[in-house]
Amino acid sequence: MNLSALAGNERVKDQLSRQLRERGLSHAYIISGPAGSGRHALSRQLAAAMLCTGTGERPCGRCVPCQKAAKGIHPDLSVINGPETGKPITVDQVRALRADAYVRPNEGERKVYLLEGADRMNPSAQNAMLKLLEEGPPYAAFLLLAENAGGLLQTVRSRCEELTLLSGDRTESLEPERLELVKRLADALEHAGEPELLETAMGLDGKREELSVFLSTLECELGERIVRGGERRRLLRAVELVKQLRESARLNVSAGQLSGWLCAGMFTAL
Ligand SMILES: [Zn+2]
């Protein structure tokens, strides 16, 4: 599969290429990752690959469907946003999508729906989506974009292939001891008192580029814990803080300052 437009993220590229070779593309994907991780680029490429009629590697970028997809004018590719800027997709929109999905494709073999901010849809909208994932027509494909896949119902997640993007950094994954720190910090954020959290968070040293991957990984871990039914209130607060931290990580803030802020943020809010 031709995913040259997507920077970094070799693991996801390998996953998709292998899947395409072995059993073809799935009809439903969750594409998650923080802002700037390339989830829009990837979803466009994947949609184009599904609609492409070229020979050889897809998307070819040259055939009429590829060009229409790139210009955003392919009649069988729909991008669904919330009714207003910043608002999540509603249950009514999912129902309208469902009705549309049962109308056969206009030009090609498939119809592709790209849902923005799927993790922010409320449970009724997600359940309507679930029905469609389970019973939708075989030609329909769904790409669910999410900042954090943890915001999606487990039932929805189980019907989709998950593609998890990290931030645009070249560093693709953390060293084992850093992953261990992600787990310890998530534990502390979920359960520990202030001194223990501060002590654990002080381990957040390291290069700034790595810090951003670290924080993305931590956010995913926290999301997973919410889904598994952990301490919801603390975990949600922690996710919110880690998002803010990621913003600050782009500025020149030391890890020590970040950890102090993390602790203050956790305990003033609780
Ligand atoms: Zn093409």
Side-chain angles (χ1 to χ4, degrees):
M1 184 164 178
N2 179 11
L3 291 170
S4 49
L6 182 70
N9 285 297
E10 299 307 322
R11 197 175 37 83
V12 166
K13 289 181 189 171
D14 288 348
Q15 185 186 346
L16 271 172
S17 298
R18 201 173 50 242
Q19 194 185 87
L20 189 60
R21 256 195 332 271
E22 288 169 6
R23 54 198 158 95
L25 291 173
S26 162
H27 80 295
Y29 288 92
I30 293 169
I31 302 174
S32 69
S37 59
R39 54 181 201 275
H40 289 98
L42 176 60
S43 62
R44 295 286 176 171
Q45 293 279 101
L46 204 49
M50 288 170 171
L51 297 164
C52 177
T53 52
T55 50
E57 230 180 354
R58 293 184 180 188
C60 72
R62 290 180 304 275
C63 69
V64 174
C66 274
Q67 289 183 7
K68 284 188 174 176
K71 287 185 196 144
I73 54 167
H74 197 299
D76 296 319
L77 171 58
S78 311
V79 179
I80 295 109
N81 277 293
E84 291 168 49
T85 318
K87 292 270 164 63
I89 295 169
T90 65
V91 65
D92 287 341
Q93 286 182 289
V94 179
R95 288 189 187 126
L97 189 163
R98 182 182 165 82
D100 184 81
Y102 280 98
V103 181
R104 293 198 60 85
N106 291 288
E107 294 189 356
E109 311 267 293
R110 304 200 81 160
K111 268 184 137 168
V112 183
Y113 295 91
L114 200 156
L115 285 84
E116 298 273 2
D119 52 337
R120 295 188 295 114
M121 293 193 297
N122 69 19
S124 358
Q126 290 200 33
N127 278 317
M129 193 62 222
L130 177 64
K131 278 218 175 67
L132 196 50
L133 292 171
E134 287 171 341
E135 306 158 5
Y139 53 77
F142 305 95
L143 307 177
L144 277 60
L145 272 66
E147 256 197 66
N148 187 344
L152 287 158
L153 298 175
Q154 195 54 46
T155 43
V156 170
R157 293 180 76 174
S158 68
R159 295 281 163 180
C160 301
E161 297 274 342
E162 292 200 26
L163 302 171
T164 309
L165 297 168
L166 299 173
S167 57
D169 297 304
R170 297 254 169 251
T171 325
E172 283 310 307
S173 56
L174 296 168
E175 300 287 312
E177 65 268 25
R178 300 295 281 171
L179 270 176
E180 189 50 42
L181 180 61
V182 167
K183 300 248 186 279
R184 275 193 289 127
L185 192 51
D187 277 339
L189 285 164
E190 189 177 357
H191 303 292
E194 194 165 359
E196 195 189 331
L197 175 59
L198 187 60
E199 199 188 311
T200 314
M202 284 307 286
L204 266 176
D205 53 355
K207 299 184 295 287
R208 222 158 26 95
E209 311 79 74
E210 198 236 35
L211 191 59
S212 114
V213 178
F214 182 92
L215 292 172
S216 305
T217 314
L218 177 61
E219 196 182 323
C220 291
E221 172 69 24
L222 294 165
E224 300 271 320
R225 286 172 189 234
I226 295 173
V227 172
R228 292 201 302 260
E231 293 285 328
R232 191 174 172 81
R233 187 154 156 263
R234 283 187 62 144
L235 288 168
L236 285 172
R237 176 63 185 154
V239 167
E240 190 186 323
L241 282 169
V242 170
K243 273 196 214 299
Q244 291 174 18
L245 277 179
R246 274 215 326 265
E247 297 295 313
S248 325
R250 297 200 194 107
L251 308 169
N252 232 340
V253 181
S254 77
Q257 285 168 297
L258 289 181
S259 60
W261 185 25
L262 190 55
C263 284
M266 273 313 279
F267 289 98
T268 46
L270 289 172

